[in-house]
Amino acid sequence: MTATLSKKTVGAQPMSIKALFTAFFTTKAKAIILPSVGIVCFLLFWSLAASSIDTSLGKFPGPSAVATQISNLIDEHNTEREKETAFYIRQEQRNQARMAKDPSYEPKTRAYTGKETFLDQIITSLLTVLSGFLLAAIIAIPLGIAIGLSKNLNMAINPIIQIFKPVSPLAWLPLVTMVVSAVYVSPEPLFAKSFINSLITVTLCSIWPMVINTSFGVASMNQDWVNVSKVLSLPKLVHIQKIVIPASIPAIFTGMRMSLGVAWMVLIAAEMLAQNPGLGKFVWDEFQNGSSQSLSRIMTAVIVIGLIGFMLDRTMLQLQKKLSWDKSSAQR
Amino acid sequence: MSIILDISKVDMVFPTPKGDFTALKGVDLQIKKGEFISLIGHSGCGKSTVLNIVACLHKATKGGVLLNNKEVTEPGPERAVVFQNHSLLPWLSCYENIELAVKRVFKNEMTPAQMTQWIEHNLNLVHMDHAKDKRPDEISGGMKQRIGIARALAMKPKVLLMDEPFGALDALTRAHMQDSLMEIQQKLNNTVIMITHDVDEAVLLSDRIVMMTNGPAATIGEILDVNLPHPRDRLALAEDPEYNRLRSEVLTFLYEKQRKVEAIATPTKKQKQSDVA
Ligand SMILES: Nc1ncnc2c1ncn2[C@@H]1O[C@H](COP(=O)(O)OP(=O)(O)O)[C@@H](O)[C@H]1O
Ligand SMILES: [Mg+2]
């Protein structure tokens, strides 16, 4: 703005340095430049700090070590996939050969049991966190609406919520593991037990922020809207569908974003603790492994965990922007 | 003409932490079909409480409300309300806000096509057909109030209740809205109770002005018949002696008989003593 203005008024004279500067730093440019500056500064600080920290497993990994590990991990993933295809081809050939010799032979197929790569672990963790979160939402949102609508129900349930909310779900983990292995017995399980354990742990910690925010949103709904519904004498279910849910969508989303953030943190810890497949297990295995590469692989995992958490939150934000009428609550 | 609404000896006591608060005492009013009543009184005297009791958003402690000789106990669309701060649902467009009401009230009587027509008819009535797909936060305060009125009118209420419908609007918009309301009233001849604290608005629009005493235990102080012929024109009326007589009657009631005692202006005994000392 300033730049174009001054250009017009000053005419042929060249722009001053200051005007150039302000033109350069329009809000849009700022949105790109400032975060980049922040990241570059962080990388510099990180590599400086890393080079001066010595551990029993060598130097603390800096940005370049992490970059090397990223390409290593992708290579390992590709090699593992090639091995897998090769295994199945060999198995098929073997079976065919035996069938040719002896037609009565029943071909046997075994599943490939290679080790899970970093990328596999990422997928596992993502699937676990999303399923656990979804299960929590299915329980928490209706429960939150019911609590928000009924003062009596709120009084009855509130103490339970207040007691269980501060419990770290990791404390539940041993109990969950024992109960799942006792109860979840089927000859051909649809899901692995470890998956169920992680999922329940994630669910247990995601429920509370969603219940609390939803019920708060419902209970603090604008009284005018309730009066509109009363004057229209909307039946209970229509009232919930047309008034209560839209009115509390902003609060529900706040709760969902909080839950998803907590869920992601808890999942990694649970995977480390229970040795359940996922990024947590990857970190723990590398730590136990204790090779010269371990630290840089763990550091890579740390950064990937952060990036995924960030991405999950942004996805929720986009969803909120799409679904919520209250655009101002979907800003940050 | 027949009595359509009978507010019969209503008392209202609110339980508060500091004990019971008697807001209304012996409010008694009969309203004829097609009458336009305005309810005027100082802020906090209990006007909204009266309206909420008629709408059944509050339950009277004593007495009750009869609509066509039948006591009303639940809120319902036959007593549609226009709220002071429009109370449109912000997640619905203007059209959808009215649609929600129309679908609810006429679900067994109108075909979808008839409903669409009826909604658009009401949008036309308040001159808002151009903004039907806008959200409430995209239109001005006056426009929101128009949609609020259209929503209430679309319910074909037996009695239309309006709680300071133009209270939040600037003077110019308010005059526009009053003219619109008069025009609509000429066409539809609804039974209306409108709360206002604007003396001109009351005289301009009403058939009767009901003046309330100050609370606590507020009740109806005086009722003034307004026999000015319709249609009324605000400019012509400015020099009309009858109009000015009515206006000064209301002003006298409000500022002499029910003069509002300002708590801040009267120093307490203790303060007086300390002033002397
Ligand atoms: N739900 C309530 N609980 C307690 N007191 C109330 C309640 N609603 C209104 N009041 C009191 O009743 C009186 C009348 O209120 P209201 O009808 O809103 O006045 P107004 O004439 O300004 O519309 C006020 O003194 C108010 O404080
Ligand atoms: Mg009021």
Side-chain angles (χ1 to χ4, degrees), chain A residues 224-225 227-228 230-235 238 242-243 246-247 325, chain B residues 57 75-77 81 83 85 87-91 101 104 151 155:
Chain A
D224 282 347
W225 303 338
N227 283 341
V228 168
K230 279 186 184 162
V231 167
L232 288 175
S233 42
L234 295 181
V238 181
K242 296 278 184 189
I243 312 281
W325 48 273
Chain B
L57 295 171
V81 185
F83 297 91
N85 31 3
S87 67
L88 298 178
L89 304 174
W91 53 89
R104 173 68 196 138
R151 177 173 64 185
M155 301 178 207

Side-chain angles (χ1 to χ4, degrees), chain A residues 71-90 111-121 282 286 297:
Chain A
S71 77
N72 277 0
L73 286 166
I74 292 172
D75 285 347
E76 276 168 35
H77 177 76
N78 290 337
T79 328
E80 193 65 26
R81 277 298 114 84
E82 275 161 26
K83 272 196 203 158
E84 186 180 350
T85 359
F87 171 85
Y88 282 118
I89 291 170
R90 255 184 288 125
Y112 178 73
T113 52
K115 107 179 213 297
E116 278 164 321
T117 66
F118 186 59
L119 294 184
D120 294 335
Q121 304 285 37
F282 175 86
E286 286 301 332
R297 290 166 82 103

Side-chain angles (χ1 to χ4, degrees), chain A residues 22-63:
Chain A
T22 26
F24 191 61
F25 271 90
T26 56
T27 8
K28 226 177 188 173
K30 262 189 197 168
I32 300 169
I33 292 168
L34 292 184
S36 317
V37 170
I39 289 172
V40 168
C41 287
F42 170 75
L43 287 178
L44 278 176
F45 172 77
W46 174 19
S47 52
L48 273 178
S51 60
S52 59
I53 301 175
D54 278 306
T55 72
S56 59
L57 292 175
K59 278 218 179 309
F60 190 84

